[in-house]
């Protein structure tokens, strides 16, 4: 009888193992019934197998019933039901069971830690690991691998280092499983030198080790080294699989598309050349038909701007999915070819593929990048249920194209439809409010930000500071800054820019010093605002100090900071130092050239400004509308009439730039100062900005200098038509008559001014007393004389 029971026991164990391996729930239930009939529940090993069987079949409730029905539970029984809960993702039940376990072993701890990591509870996993060490358990390779994975997600390199030390102590640092997790952790935390040391410590690195190193190097833009890592992998005979190929293609894609050069990898490597070599290797290894790798190849070519090759791969693919279409749409969007992107989206639908959210976002981004906001609006209107990301793309598109009213209307519609804005939505719409200076709507967005983002969101707070500063509510901007629990450099920069905008330059300089005292490193924007402040100070001492600090911090070669330095020295009138620094700059953009040309213009060096403009053209630097304002101003101030006319005529003919009001004002000022009124009258017949008073004021000033009465009358008449209550045309015309000795006509203009009840606004002077601006009123001498004669004191208010 005993021999029969022993035979049944062994047979049942074998059958249970087969059911567990095959996940045969029905057969397992029959075996469970057989065990009950034979009265074998006292056989704990059999009961443990039953719990494992139900766990393998995903029947957690049955597993728990089998566990509860086991009369003699051991640690393996508890681990079996714990594993069932962890496998099913029932973490609360797993933790309650874990806490109730009378005995634990490393397997128990590993079960809980790994399941927490798998379910995104990395912080809790680290806490459980700490408890494990505190209770005296020695971690296994599975424990350490799970904890390193948790540290990778948390970017907690300190906990990772402590685990590394323990791994060395117990001799597991060279284990391939632990070593790979360790170098992944260092790579994701951007401690690449530590990752390299961990890689070198591995006696036999495998494809996982090499792939992790490639990702880590590419993450910190060390793309050439990442590609060399793949080459080393090939030389050492490590098997190249689809995952390895996908990883190296991702590295080749990380160089990105640069319109000026395809040599984006640096160090003599061309990302697209390396990608082509990997493409050839992929075909050689027989992965040419793999749809995922084909998509990775398309992505690589698209990211590097080679859409012809991407088209070729796309055309030869035997199988295409939605991801493939999305990559092609995104690729053309990256090249600012919205028409082709939209055509691909239409082809996609004709081929029976349903666009998803990514498709629509890629199409929207393509339109926005190309400046085709109208097309983006049509695509957006075709979306049934756009997510907040799609709304954000549209808001960004309206902002980038200067359609701020449309952005506000879209945000209002977004709220009306109940779409919850995120920090990107709020920051974008606050930027539009700042440009339009619409305080009331900005306040409404502020209220919405408190509801959806709270007070602590630095990204939104920076937008609020800018909005209130632009609307002249600088105290509210300061309040936002002071309420933030934690400040970052973006908020400091926004506050500095706001203070400069509101002419609070001394406060901006104080804020900059506070930022330095708090050991917060200034950025290009910080120095740009500070240099703008220094340009307004009478002494150049502070500006030179800031310049020295810029050189120390390594920003002297930054084009934005360099342009601000040129502007500052020009404001001081120190043209020689401005030009000296300008010549030293390794890279200049149109802003830099404009600042130097404008500096020459403002300081009376008209000839030098024109020469610099010609140098700019000779070097192939594209002039913009601001360039022409600067050089035409120089021609006006320097009396360079012929040069001014030539440059003005070249705007449209050679550069394709339509002259704006400022350009017409500059050329009329240039001609008027030189007394070329015949040319002015010819130009006035063609000008499209006849209803702007600035144009006529400039002309009237020139007429006063040259005593051109007939044209002065016309200019004064146009000014009075545009603004009947403006005293300037009356006074300028009267002064012209006085300068010619035509007193009767001057008196007639004065009488007309009195009859129309137009009074001249009193003049003021600004004086600086201890860094505070004081105003001094200029009184009309005739009024003062009358009051003295009638013994009336002069009012001071």
């Amino acid at each position: 009888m005993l021999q029969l029971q022993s035979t049944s026991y062994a047979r049942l164990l074998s059958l249970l193992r087969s059911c567990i391996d095959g996940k045969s729930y029905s057969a397992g239930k029959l075996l469970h019934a057989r065990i009950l009939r034979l009265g074998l529940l006292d056989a704990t090993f059999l009961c443990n197998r039953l719990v494992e069987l139900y766990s393998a079949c995903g029947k957690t409730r049955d597993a728990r019933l089998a566990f509860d029905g086991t009369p003699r539970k051991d640690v393996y029984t508890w681990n079996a039901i714990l594993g069932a809960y962890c496998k099913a993702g029932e973490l609360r039940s797993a933790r309650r069971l874990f806490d109730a376990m009378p005995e634990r072993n490393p397997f128990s701890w590993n079960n809980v830690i790994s399941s927490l990591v798998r379910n995104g509870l990395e912080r809790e996993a680290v806490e459980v690991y700490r408890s494990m060490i505190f209770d005296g358990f020695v971690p296994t390779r599975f424990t350490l691998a799970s904890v390193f994975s948790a540290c990778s997600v948390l970017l907690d390199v300190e906990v990772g280092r402590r685990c590394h030390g323990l791994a060395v102590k117990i001799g597991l640092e060279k284990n391939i499983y632990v070593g790979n997790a360790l170098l992944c952790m260092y790579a994701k935390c951007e401690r690449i030198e530590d990752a390299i040391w961990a890689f070198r410590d591995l006696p036999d690195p495998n494809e996982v080790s090499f792939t992790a190193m490639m990702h880590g190097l590419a993450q910190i833009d060390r793309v050439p080294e990442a590609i060399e890592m793949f080459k080393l992998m090939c030389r050492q005979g490590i098997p190249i699989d689809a995952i390895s190929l996908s990883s190296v293609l991702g590295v080749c894609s990380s160089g990105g598309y640069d319109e000026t050069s395809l040599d984006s990898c640096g160090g003599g490597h061309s990302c697209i050349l390396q990608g082509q070599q990997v493409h050839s290797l992929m075909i050689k290894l027989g992965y040419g038909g793999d749809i995922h790798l084909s998509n990775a190849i398309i992505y690589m070519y698209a990211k590097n701007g080679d859409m012809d090759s991407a088209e070729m791969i796309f055309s030869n693919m035997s199988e295409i999915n939605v991801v493939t279409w999305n990559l092609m749409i995104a690729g053309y969007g990256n090249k600012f070819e919205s028409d082709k992107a939209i055509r691909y989206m239409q082809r996609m639908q004709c081929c029976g593929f349903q666009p998803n959210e990514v498709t629509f976002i890629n199409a929207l981004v393509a339109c926005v990048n190309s400046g085709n906001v109208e097309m983006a609006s049509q695509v957006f209107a075709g979306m049934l249920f756009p997510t907040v990301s799609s709304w954000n793309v549209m808001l960004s598109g309206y902002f980038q194209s200067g359609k701020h009213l449309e952005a506000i209307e879209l945000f209002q519609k977004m709220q009306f439809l109940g779409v919850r804005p995120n920090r990107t939505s709020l920051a974008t719409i606050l930027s539009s409010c700042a440009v339009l200076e619409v305080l009331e709507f900005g306040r409404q967005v502020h209220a919405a930000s408190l509801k959806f983002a709270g007070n602590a969101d630095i990204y939104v707070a920076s937008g609020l500071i800018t909005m209130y500063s632009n609307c002249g509510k600088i105290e509210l901007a300061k309040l936002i800054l002071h309420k933030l629990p934690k400040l970052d450099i973006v908020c400091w920069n926004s506050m500095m820019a706001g203070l400069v905008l509101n002419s609070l330059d001394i406060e901006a300089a104080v804020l900059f010093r506070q930022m330095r005292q708090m050991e917060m490193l200034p950025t290009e924007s910080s120095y740009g605002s500070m240099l703008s402040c220094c340009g307004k100070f009478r002494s150049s001492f502070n500006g030179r100090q800031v310049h020295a600090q810029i050189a120390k911090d390594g920003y002297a070669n930054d084009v934005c900071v360099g342009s601000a330095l040129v502007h500052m020295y020009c404001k001081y009138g120190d043209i020689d130092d401005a030009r000296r620094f300008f010549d030293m700059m390794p890279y200049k953009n149109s802003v830099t050239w404009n600042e130097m040309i404008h500096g020459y213009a403002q300081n009376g060096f008209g000839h030098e400004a024109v020469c610099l403009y010609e140098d700019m053209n000779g070097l192939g630097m594209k002039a913009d509308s601001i360039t022409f304002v600067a050089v035409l101003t120089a021609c006006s101030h320097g009396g360079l009439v012929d040069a001014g006319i030539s440059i003005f005529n070249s705007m449209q003919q050679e550069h394709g730039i339509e002259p704006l009001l400022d350009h017409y004002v500059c050329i009329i000022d240039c001609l008027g100062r030189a007394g070329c009124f015949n040319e002015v009258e010819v130009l006035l017949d063609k000008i499209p900005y006849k209803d702007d008073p600035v144009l006529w004021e400039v002309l009237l000033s020139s007429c006063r200098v040259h005593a051109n009465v007939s044209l002065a009358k016309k200019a004064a008449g146009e000014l009075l038509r545009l603004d009947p209550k403006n005293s300037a045309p009356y006074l300028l015309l009267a002064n012209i008559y006085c300068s010619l000795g035509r007193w009767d006509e001057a008196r007639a203009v004065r009488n007309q001014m009195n009859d129309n009840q137009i009074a001249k606004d009193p003049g003021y002077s600004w004086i600086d007393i201890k860094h505070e601006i004081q105003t001094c009123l200029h009184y009309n001498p005739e009024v003062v004389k009358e009051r003295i004669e009638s013994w009336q004191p002069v009012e001071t208010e």
Side-chain angles (χ1 to χ4, degrees), residues 468-474 497-505 536:
Y468 281 124
S469 299
N470 280 29
C471 293
K473 299 294 181 180
I474 196 68
L499 291 167
V500 172
L501 183 67
N502 286 270
S503 300
L504 299 170
D505 304 301
K536 297 177 185 177

Side-chain angles (χ1 to χ4, degrees), residues 127-342:
E127 293 303 320
V128 173
Y129 165 74
R130 287 197 177 110
S131 300
M132 177 184 180
I133 301 301
F134 184 76
D135 286 356
F137 287 90
V138 177
T140 67
R141 60 193 180 111
F142 300 109
T143 319
L144 291 170
S146 295
V147 175
F148 285 138
S149 296
C151 294
S152 297
V153 176
L154 297 171
L155 302 179
D156 193 339
V157 74
E158 294 307 317
V159 172
R161 283 190 192 283
R162 288 198 289 272
C163 292
H164 187 184
L166 183 56
V168 172
K169 184 177 179 181
I170 61 179
L172 285 176
E173 82 282 3
K174 294 184 185 299
N175 176 274
I176 189 67
Y177 194 59
V178 175
N180 284 342
L182 176 64
L183 72 90
C184 278
M185 183 272 296
Y186 281 131
K188 286 190 178 177
C189 293
E190 297 188 3
R191 302 300 176 94
I192 199 65
E193 299 304 326
D194 293 321
I196 291 171
W197 278 111
F199 178 81
R200 288 173 178 166
D201 281 345
L202 289 172
D204 295 304
N206 59 13
E207 62 272 16
V208 177
S209 319
F210 280 95
T211 301
M213 283 305 304
M214 282 191 288
H215 276 303
L217 290 163
Q219 185 178 332
I220 58 169
D221 295 328
R222 290 167 66 169
V223 177
E225 292 171 73
I227 292 173
E228 288 300 324
M229 186 64 65
F230 179 74
K231 292 180 178 178
L232 178 64
M233 182 180 179
C234 295
R235 286 196 296 271
Q236 291 190 1
I238 305 295
I240 307 296
D241 56 12
I243 297 174
S244 308
L245 289 168
S246 179
S247 297
V248 73
L249 285 171
V251 171
C252 295
S253 303
S254 63
Y257 172 54
D258 182 357
E259 289 184 336
T260 60
S261 172
L262 288 176
D263 189 14
S264 306
C265 291
H269 292 76
S270 170
C271 286
I272 197 162
L273 178 61
Q274 301 296 336
Q276 287 169 343
Q277 293 176 353
V278 175
H279 185 189
S280 300
L281 179 62
M282 184 185 94
I283 295 171
K284 181 180 177 182
L285 294 174
Y287 289 108
D290 188 302
I291 185 171
H292 302 295
L293 281 176
S294 295
N295 285 341
I297 285 285
I298 287 176
Y299 179 71
M300 183 274 298
Y301 281 126
K303 281 286 283 183
N304 286 285
D306 186 1
M307 288 308 296
D308 291 337
S309 296
E311 285 265 16
M312 184 183 67
I313 303 299
F314 179 85
S315 301
N316 292 325
M317 285 177 68
S318 57
E319 182 186 356
I320 293 173
N321 59 14
V322 174
V323 175
T324 319
W325 290 101
N326 290 346
L327 289 171
M328 292 300 295
I329 294 168
Y332 280 116
N334 192 39
K335 290 199 74 175
F336 311 110
E337 297 183 31
S338 59
D339 292 342
K340 289 186 179 180
I342 297 301

Side-chain angles (χ1 to χ4, degrees), residues 68 73 84 154 165 179 270 275 323 325 393 541 608 623 653 659 745 780:
D68 291 338
K73 301 178 181 71
L154 297 171
S270 170
V323 175
W325 290 101
V393 174
F541 176 74
E608 288 81 355
Q653 296 170 4
E745 289 166 288
N780 188 327

Side-chain angles (χ1 to χ4, degrees), residues 99-128:
D99 293 337
M101 287 179 73
E103 182 186 356
R104 299 171 185 146
N105 62 11
F107 184 80
S108 318
W109 292 95
N110 290 345
N111 240 336
V112 174
I113 292 170
S114 61
S115 64
L116 289 170
V117 173
R118 282 197 308 272
N119 288 276
L121 299 171
E122 291 83 8
R123 187 72 64 189
E124 195 173 338
V126 171
E127 293 303 320
V128 173

Side-chain angles (χ1 to χ4, degrees), residues 331-524:
Y332 280 116
N334 192 39
K335 290 199 74 175
F336 311 110
E337 297 183 31
S338 59
D339 292 342
K340 289 186 179 180
I342 297 301
R343 278 203 296 273
Y344 259 90
M345 184 175 173
Q346 292 166 347
R347 279 178 60 190
M348 172 185 182
Q349 292 170 303
C350 291
C351 292
F353 289 90
Q354 190 64 33
N356 59 15
E357 180 69 17
V358 176
T359 315
F360 282 110
I361 289 178
N362 286 348
L364 288 172
V365 170
C367 296
V368 167
N369 286 350
S370 306
N372 194 346
V373 186
E374 289 75 15
M375 180 63 75
S377 301
Q378 293 175 22
V379 173
F380 185 76
M383 298 177 69
L384 293 177
F385 303 105
T387 62
V388 67
S389 299
S390 305
W391 289 90
N392 289 346
V393 174
M394 282 307 304
L395 287 171
S396 176
Y398 281 131
F399 174 76
Q400 290 175 30
S401 60
K403 297 186 175 183
H404 304 292
L405 284 174
E406 287 86 345
I408 289 174
E409 289 171 0
L410 188 68
F411 185 79
Q412 289 173 326
K413 183 179 179 182
M414 183 179 180
Q415 290 183 300
F416 178 75
L417 293 174
V419 180
R420 183 186 179 95
N422 60 15
R423 62 204 302 257
T424 304
S425 325
L426 294 166
T428 306
I429 197 63
L430 283 169
S431 298
S432 287
C433 292
V435 173
L436 293 178
E437 300 179 14
V438 282
L439 178 62
E440 191 54 41
F441 190 76
R443 287 182 188 275
Q444 293 175 22
V445 177
H446 188 180
S449 73
L450 294 175
K451 180 180 178 182
F452 297 119
N455 275 319
D457 193 294
I458 297 176
Y459 192 53
V460 176
S462 175
L464 285 168
I465 291 168
T466 302
M467 184 273 294
Y468 281 124
S469 299
N470 280 29
C471 293
K473 299 294 181 180
I474 196 68
E475 295 303 322
L476 289 175
K478 292 179 186 176
L479 190 63
I480 298 291
L481 186 78
H482 294 150
K483 279 190 173 182
L484 284 171
K486 184 181 178 181
L487 294 174
D488 73 344
I489 191 64
V490 178
C491 290
W492 284 100
N493 289 344
S494 298
M495 192 69 248
M496 281 181 62
L499 291 167
V500 172
L501 183 67
N502 286 270
S503 300
L504 299 170
D505 304 301
I506 294 173
E507 286 190 43
V510 170
L511 194 69
F512 181 79
R513 282 199 295 270
Q514 289 176 353
M515 184 176 75
R516 297 287 298 179
Q517 288 166 2
M518 293 175 68
E519 297 183 352
M520 192 166 286
L521 295 176
T523 64
E524 300 92 331

